[in-house]
């Protein structure tokens, strides 16, 4: 993959998004593939040797060229209406100037007693208060902390009528059925299509360069890995041949946490995660990734969509630790995807299973 713009790396972000989707369609899930990719690529910019090779296998980039890729995807985020994003690095070990200059948009600083509160405030600022603190409080054991944040606030071009929201049956991923608050409206047939056995509905957002928000309903029993990628599939689209679509969509909220370190290990990426990792392009200190987590939230309501994600990577020194109206009713587990204005870069992906004991829930 080559090129200067973020579009050149959209495919890599989509591939990471597909890898990160859970196989279990019976539980809620939400994450930010773009936020995860940018944070990991910023770390990979300092990787060399086998460490760089393993990270390149899942990110498509590592080493010196990664800074350019991070800048390119960052430009896509900055150019998408309603999106804010940033990366902050705090370190108690030396960081090479070449690494800093390769990531010109990243804010660098020292790591000390007050850094946790400082980064909590930074996270709250970037996400507009949707996430108010780091996913994990700093415990003094890290030698370097990299935090990436991305947030979205968008309103529908045409809002749902709140008076039309009423309870409707939803069959959750665990097989139970219950009434959930469901929004209703008729939309043009051109806002919906079928791809790979799934039905995709795109609801336009207001504003210039607005993000594209798509909801994906797959066959009964299909999980996120088989359903969600239909949101960005370019081939095999079939139009809905109807005079309109009678849309029934639950009002819902998702909140989730991803153990990124375990996720990387499941991909076979282990060299960066243990003592002996080669981050010699970042610091003279022998660092490895000791912790990596992402917290994400996404809410869909009558007025629009809000979402935020924070990815936290901690590094430690190795020595230390009249046609008919087509009904589309989202009445069983379904996916939600927010992409950039070009519809190529997955900013957020989610799966609402509707289970009563899940981390999400109707709102």
């Amino acid at each position: 993959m080559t090129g200067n713009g973020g579009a050149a790396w959209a495919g890599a972000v989509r591939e990471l998004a597909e890898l990160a989707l859970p196989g279990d369609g019976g539980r809620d899930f939400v994450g930010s593939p773009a936020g995860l990719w940018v944070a990991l690529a910023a770390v990979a910019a300092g990787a060399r040797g086998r460490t760089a090779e393993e990270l390149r296998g899942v990110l498509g980039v590592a080493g010196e060229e990664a800074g350019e890729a991070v800048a390119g995807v960052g430009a896509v985020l900055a150019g998408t209406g309603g999106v804010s994003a940033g990366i902050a690095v705090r370190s108690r070990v030396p960081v090479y100037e070449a690494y800093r200059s390769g990531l010109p948009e990243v804010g660098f600083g020292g790591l000390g007693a007050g850094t946790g509160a400082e980064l909590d405030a930074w996270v709250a600022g970037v996400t507009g208060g949707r996430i108010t603190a780091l996913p994990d409080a700093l415990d003094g054991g890290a030698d370097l902390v990299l935090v990436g944040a991305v947030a979205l606030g968008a309103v529908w071009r045409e809002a749902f009528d709140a008076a039309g929201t009423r309870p409707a049956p939803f069959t959750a991923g665990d097989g139970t059925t219950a009434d959930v608050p469901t929004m209703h409206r008729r939309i043009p047939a051109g806002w919906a299509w079928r791809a790979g056995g799934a039905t995709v509905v795109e609801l336009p957002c207001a504003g210039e360069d607005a993000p594209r928000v798509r909801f994906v309903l797959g066959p009964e029993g299909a999980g996120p890995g088989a359903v969600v990628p239909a949101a960005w599939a370019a081939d095999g689209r079939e139009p809905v041949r109807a005079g309109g679509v009678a849309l029934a969509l639950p009002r819902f909220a998702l909140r989730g946490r991803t153990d990124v370190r375990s996720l990387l290990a499941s991909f076979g990426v282990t060299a960066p995660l243990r003592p002996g990792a080669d981050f010699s392009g970042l610091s003279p200190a022998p660092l490895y990734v000791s912790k990596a987590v992402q917290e994400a939230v996404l809410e869909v309501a009558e007025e629009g969509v809000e979402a935020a994600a924070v990815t936290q990577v901690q590094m430690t020194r190795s020595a230390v630790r009249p046609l008919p109206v087509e009904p589309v009713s989202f009445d069983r587990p379904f996916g939600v995807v927010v992409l950039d204005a070009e519809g190529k870069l997955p900013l957020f992906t989610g799966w609402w299973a509707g289970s009563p004991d899940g981390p999400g829930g109707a709102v």
Side-chain angles (χ1 to χ4, degrees), residues 250-262:
R251 186 180 66 205
F252 67 96
L254 293 168
R255 189 175 195 105
R257 176 186 171 97
T258 299
D259 183 341
V260 177
R261 198 172 184 276
S262 295

Side-chain angles (χ1 to χ4, degrees), residues 16-31 222-229 258 263 349-352:
L16 179 62
E18 294 184 24
L19 285 172
L21 287 169
D24 181 8
R27 64 180 181 87
D28 294 343
F29 165 81
V30 63
V227 175
V228 173
T258 299
L263 186 67
T349 55
W351 181 261
W352 197 55

